[in-house]
Amino acid sequence: MPDTKPSEFELIRRYFTRPVAHTDLAVGDDAALMTPRPGMQLAVSTDMLVAGTHFFADTAPGDLGWKAAAVNISDMAAMGAEPRWMFLALSLPAVDEAWVAAFAEGFAACCARFGVDWAGGDTTRGPLNLCPTVIGEVPVAAAIRRDGARAGDDIWVSGTPGLAALGLRHLRDGLPLAEEARAQCLRSLHRPQPRVELGLALRGVASAMQDVSDGLLGDLGHILSRSRLAAVVEDAALPWSPVLAACSDEPAARAALTAGGDDYELVFTAAPELREQVASIGQRIELPLTRIGQCQSGEGLRLLARDGTLQPVGRAGYDHFG
């Protein structure tokens, strides 16, 4: 019987060509054409997802498509940038049309949710590997970088970090979770919600920011390193969600909160006199924002324990080569 599997170009036409809203020329030529809006800088980021390293090979393709787009869009949120264009390069071990269709729907759904044009990419045969690139816009000099924190700044985090890490522990190690908690943790793991609205609202308010992809304390450490500062985080102030608090394995819950990745919440710094403004932003967008510590002169990150002692924090977070 003849081979009925689609060619590379037919695959692109069927599944990876989507309507665009603000792209001059998208899929179908050697390059896409985009026109940045006046007064804007381009913010560009790429995040690779590799089977067996970043996701299980049997992850539902729709979830994987959503997450592949979301982790890149989150980088725009972390810069206070508006995500505008997405490109996707991927390698597939074989053409499974049902898998590709579901993956493409998940990827396109996430792009649509955040107003991003899927403007192009590439496909090839090889181990399952996803490499999206996102391009956003931010007013000139308004990007929120990692190197802007100052001594005395408050440290804040959005949402409830740790749920995705608990979901991963459940899938990988069989960590027991109650049914409702399990569903919530797996939703956080597979369908993260980039905090774009928060990132945009924090322009001119946050002095430095980073998304929590590799662990709260570890990612805070990147801000401190780039800003050449020290910090103290208060253990009692950390945002324990009911799910984390109810976990029967307290050390696992604590590790998920402080060092687990994949939440894509935002950790940021802001001057103390802006506390009310930060709180009002959280109320307006209906997202909890928790003040967890303060930046200081010097080097290093320390945790203020509930007994009043200061404990140094070593490497806390995921490292691809650690």
Side-chain angles (χ1 to χ4, degrees):
M1 295 180 62
D3 187 357
T4 58
K5 289 185 178 179
S7 68
E8 174 188 356
F9 302 104
E10 181 64 17
L11 197 71
I12 292 170
R13 188 191 67 79
R14 286 186 196 177
Y15 303 110
F16 302 142
T17 303
R18 304 283 168 152
V20 293
H22 40 260
T23 305
D24 301 323
L25 179 66
V27 177
D29 217 308
D30 288 305
L33 299 175
M34 301 99 68
T35 303
R37 291 171 293 186
M40 293 288 189
Q41 280 185 308
L42 294 180
V44 184
S45 180
T46 188
D47 250 318
M48 187 182 300
L49 285 81
V50 179
T53 299
H54 301 98
F55 61 91
F56 297 112
D58 61 354
T59 299
D63 289 342
L64 184 56
W66 176 283
K67 187 168 185 175
V71 301
N72 283 268
I73 291 171
S74 179
D75 285 333
M76 297 295 98
M79 299 288 290
E82 180 183 351
R84 300 271 283 169
W85 299 280
M86 183 75 74
F87 296 83
L88 173 65
L90 77 162
S91 62
L92 300 168
V95 175
D96 177 339
E97 282 201 73
W99 190 97
V100 171
F103 171 85
E105 284 304 311
F107 192 87
C110 187
C111 288
R113 163 66 180 82
F114 294 96
V116 180
D117 278 359
W118 187 355
D122 187 34
T123 59
T124 190
R125 182 186 295 273
L128 183 56
N129 181 32
L130 317 169
C131 189
T133 296
V134 65
I135 301 175
E137 291 179 328
V138 61
V140 173
I144 307 171
R145 298 161 40 150
R146 297 180 184 179
D147 60 1
R150 298 175 291 270
D153 279 357
D154 292 328
I155 301 166
W156 297 79
V157 67
S158 68
T160 52
L163 301 186
L166 275 192
L168 177 61
R169 282 290 309 273
H170 170 74
L171 293 178
R172 187 187 64 200
D173 305 325
L175 179 72
L177 295 172
E179 183 177 355
E180 185 176 342
R182 181 171 66 249
Q184 188 173 345
C185 290
L186 293 179
R187 188 163 55 248
S188 296
L189 176 65
H190 294 312
R191 295 266 175 166
Q193 300 297 314
R195 301 306 189 185
V196 174
E197 187 176 11
L198 175 61
L200 297 178
L202 287 173
R203 287 178 186 168
V205 177
S207 53
M209 189 155 62
Q210 149 118 26
D211 66 342
V212 181
S213 57
D214 296 326
L216 173 57
L217 297 184
D219 285 327
L220 171 59
H222 297 315
I223 290 177
L224 300 177
S225 175
R226 292 285 292 168
S227 297
R228 299 182 179 180
L229 290 173
V232 171
V233 169
E234 299 175 28
D235 182 78
L238 292 172
W240 282 82
S241 73
V243 170
L244 290 169
C247 179
S248 60
D249 188 334
E250 195 273 340
R254 175 170 292 278
L257 172 58
T258 60
D262 267 359
D263 291 293
Y264 301 97
E265 296 292 350
L266 297 180
V267 58
F268 61 95
T269 59
E273 58 266 27
L274 298 178
R275 285 178 189 174
E276 289 188 8
Q277 188 172 349
V278 172
S280 71
I281 289 172
Q283 292 169 359
R284 175 169 59 80
I285 66 175
E286 299 181 338
L287 178 64
L289 302 178
T290 305
R291 183 164 52 92
I292 62 171
Q294 190 172 55
C295 297
Q296 300 178 340
S297 298
E299 295 182 358
L301 174 59
R302 294 178 295 172
L303 186 70
L304 178 62
R306 293 171 188 255
D307 63 5
T309 60
L310 282 171
Q311 304 170 354
V313 176
R315 190 174 71 181
Y318 183 74
D319 181 347
H320 288 94
F321 298 100

